[in-house]
Amino acid sequence: MFAIMLSFTITAQSHYPGQHSGKLVIPDKTQMKAYSFDLQDIQLLDSPFKENMMRESTWILSITTKQLLHSFRTTAGLYTGKEGGYMDMKKLGGWESLDCDLRGQTTGHILSALSLLYATTGYNIYKLKADSLVKGLAEVQQALHQDGYLSAFPQGLIDRNIAGQSVWAPWYTLHKIFAGLIDQYLNCDNRQALEIVNKMASWAYEKLKPLLQEQRTVMLRNEFGGMNDVFYNLYAITGNLHDKWLAEFFYQNEMLDPLKEQKDNLDKKHANTFIPKLIGLTRDYEIEGNVENMKIARFFWNTVVDHHSYCTGSNSDKEKFFKPDNESAHLTGYTCESCNVYNMLKLTRHLFCAEPNEKYADYYEKALYNHILGQQDPESGMIAYFLPMLPGAHKVYSTPDSSFWCCVGTGFENQAKYAEAIYYHTDKALYVNLFIPSVLTWKEKAITVRQDTNFPDDATTTLTILTSTKVTMPLYIRYPSWATSGAKIKVDGKILKVIQKPGSYITIDRKWKNNDKIEITYPMFLRLVQSDNDSISAIAYGPVVLAGVMGTEGMEKPAPFSNPKLYNDYYTYDYHVPADLVHQLKLGKKNLSNSIKQIAGTQRLTFKTINEGIILQPLFSIHHQRYVVYWNLK
Ligand SMILES: [Zn+2]
């Protein structure tokens, strides 16, 4: 089966330094330099981010608990005799089909997504749905009666993995369920979820403890998602040394050891199998103080971001890394798997907490705007697997109930956690990393910060401090590396002299009183984002990658990807790009504004090239249209 030859990974939501402290019995040994807020502390205000989140929520709520438990109940033999309404139930297709090795992964992702939605909105509907899923999974675990094993597929798939036989990625799927249940405990306080996951961990320990070193090596060659991350997280919750043993068991020497030598071993490696392994290492650094593992994670991140990424912060061609600095040779229809970005953003969050360098926030912004935000179809709420860089390609979206690719699963989570990385804090200071309309409540400081902005359509953001007493708090405002034409800061209408440079933080340290306002403007301008090839470039405006809007000629309707029998055809999809599609531009490279003009009065950022008359808009906003990101420059 074609699909078996592929492999995919994701990790679900882990926790970050500063979060859920009341629920962890093992405190982090490493003193972090910045901490995350709990999602409960941040509320999104109206913006495209919130619109995406609510669309995703509608989709998630439309998939019934019975559908999400169906394959689990089938495997546990819980369907006997007549099942009443169950017979009429529309069964989930795609990667959730009863004959797919990965079935059950979506249920794990949805548990995580529901926990994030509940945390960020406080709406009880998400908790109620998750509660019924958790209850159903507890019944399945009991019915399976296999020492805590819980899955939608039989344990034989794990045995095949251990024996080195052909199987897709059973641990990868189990990881989603472990992570989803842990998120239910952490974000929704669901104790039953923790009981289930502890039994699963007990099963895993007994299953893996007898393995010989050779068996372990063979097993770990198959994709296993973020199993190390999830067991570190569980260890922090339980203090059970078996959980720590399991986390360390999933350290894959073959892939990770070369990174200790600062060797770029990424070429031809399946990207999303690789990235989650590093997230687990950052958790080991946080919990156990393992400095060596942090060095590996940092080296990996720098290597991926500086040498294996496109202008959008995405990576991979047909899911694999390729030679460093070679993206111009990989402008294909199958670039930039979404799960990879999901995992890179998680890794970025851990690295920022350890070392709050602006470059991490820069990357987060780049990948969030240029990849994650635009992967959801605003008409249908469906999610794209790849972000094709082939000039003239277009986004290919999932179906509501017959795709369930890995990127649909991570998509459920991505769209639910836009609030997670806007703000960070130290004991005293507040970091403002992203310019997204939101309200932060910092309980320990008894302070509320409201952020109003239309960024990136508007280059200004306004922070308002709400406090009942005066409070001393240094404010670290991110000064993006792209903002090379300077910064304008006003505090209560008075201009503040900025001495810092782009790629750093502007510090405002003062005693704040109620209703103090900070107005921040980073003027944006057009710039080229050079590829490894001098004559191939993308165009950006501020942090936003602009793409040519290239029409719909030759696009098939209805698109073949809506055919449930072809649920994997995103992987071989023929884009039928018209032979005469323009992807050359004549630009005055020194001053782009001589060859590209902004069109005033449009709803969103819109530009036009003077010579070719091509309309450019933010890549994230282009849907159901062909586009060009990388141009041949004459
Ligand atoms: Zn994926």
Side-chain angles (χ1 to χ4, degrees), residues 440-451:
L440 164 75
T441 305
W442 191 357
K443 293 193 281 284
E444 288 77 10
K445 288 266 178 195
I447 193 171
T448 297
V449 178
R450 182 186 165 103
Q451 181 171 185

Side-chain angles (χ1 to χ4, degrees), residues 189-300:
D189 203 25
N190 189 321
R191 309 269 156 167
Q192 188 176 29
L194 183 61
E195 282 170 29
I196 299 172
V197 91
N198 276 331
K199 287 179 193 164
M200 288 173 76
S202 164
W203 161 80
Y205 182 74
E206 296 302 329
K207 185 89 180 171
L208 298 177
K209 198 164 177 289
L211 260 56
L212 303 171
Q213 199 54 249
E214 207 179 298
Q215 290 174 295
R216 171 172 172 261
T217 304
V218 168
M219 190 188 94
L220 295 185
R221 282 186 189 141
N222 205 7
E223 183 173 15
F224 57 77
M227 283 309 307
N228 58 349
D229 179 39
V230 91
F231 280 127
Y232 280 121
N233 289 334
L234 190 59
Y235 169 61
I237 293 167
T238 64
N240 183 341
L241 288 171
H242 288 182
D243 297 333
K244 186 167 166 263
W245 182 90
L246 283 161
E248 288 163 358
F249 182 92
F250 280 93
Y251 178 98
Q252 195 199 4
N253 300 72
E254 285 178 318
M255 296 276 266
L256 296 172
D257 285 349
L259 297 171
K260 284 185 193 170
E261 317 297 324
Q262 310 264 298
K263 276 192 192 136
D264 178 348
N265 64 339
L266 272 57
D267 185 23
K268 299 187 183 64
K269 300 278 181 3
H270 185 259
N272 206 42
T273 294
F274 211 148
I275 306 167
K277 299 180 204 294
L278 284 301
I279 300 170
L281 298 198
T282 63
R283 281 300 284 151
D284 189 28
Y285 169 75
E286 290 159 10
I287 297 172
E288 291 288 303
N290 188 330
V291 175
E292 179 80 10
N293 277 348
M294 190 48 152
K295 274 190 203 159
I296 296 175
R298 267 205 199 105
F299 172 74
F300 178 86

Side-chain angles (χ1 to χ4, degrees), residues 308-514:
H308 292 271
S309 294
Y310 295 89
C311 58
T312 51
S314 336
N315 59 60
S316 76
D317 183 9
K318 280 219 165 180
E319 306 190 6
K320 291 188 173 163
F321 288 122
F322 41 83
K323 287 192 175 59
D325 305 310
N326 198 30
E327 70 271 21
S328 67
H330 290 271
L331 302 179
T332 76
Y334 318 100
T335 52
C336 307
E337 183 186 350
S338 287
C339 292
N340 304 6
V341 181
Y342 163 93
N343 275 318
M344 281 302 291
L345 292 181
K346 292 184 72 163
L347 182 59
T348 302
R349 301 242 295 126
H350 287 287
L351 296 176
F352 181 82
C353 290
E355 181 202 0
N357 187 317
E358 193 273 342
K359 70 177 180 179
Y360 296 119
D362 247 19
Y363 174 77
Y364 196 100
E365 178 185 70
K366 183 200 286 188
L368 193 73
Y369 282 92
N370 298 309
H371 191 106
I372 301 292
L373 181 62
Q375 287 306 88
Q376 187 200 67
D377 173 13
E379 285 177 26
S380 64
M382 294 298 106
I383 288 284
Y385 193 109
F386 293 126
L387 178 58
M389 289 293 154
L390 173 73
H394 55 85
K395 295 169 186 173
V396 174
Y397 309 102
S398 66
T399 55
D401 55 15
S402 48
S403 304
F404 293 115
W405 314 316
C406 50
C407 298
V408 169
T410 44
F412 286 140
E413 296 183 41
N414 284 330
Q415 307 296 331
K417 62 191 182 88
Y418 283 118
E420 71 170 9
I422 306 172
Y423 308 99
Y424 291 83
H425 67 94
T426 66
D427 287 351
K428 296 192 182 91
L430 178 68
Y431 282 94
V432 180
N433 269 8
L434 298 174
F435 310 117
I436 293 178
S438 52
V439 177
L440 164 75
T441 305
W442 191 357
K443 293 193 281 284
E444 288 77 10
K445 288 266 178 195
I447 193 171
T448 297
V449 178
R450 182 186 165 103
Q451 181 171 185
D452 292 286
T453 183
N454 280 320
F455 186 91
D457 296 272
D458 186 344
T460 300
T461 194
T462 304
L463 303 174
T464 306
I465 309 280
L466 300 166
T467 176
S468 54
T469 54
K470 286 188 178 177
V471 60
T472 303
M473 177 185 75
L475 204 52
Y476 299 151
I477 299 167
R478 179 172 151 253
Y479 191 169
S481 65
W482 51 260
T484 51
S485 58
K488 286 178 203 155
I489 307 267
K490 282 188 205 166
V491 180
D492 289 336
K494 285 183 200 141
I495 294 173
L496 206 77
K497 192 167 185 286
V498 176
I499 51 166
Q500 289 86 355
K501 297 271 179 279
S504 68
Y505 282 86
I506 295 168
T507 305
I508 310 176
D509 191 0
R510 63 160 62 196
K511 204 171 231 183
W512 302 99
K513 61 179 188 316
N514 192 38

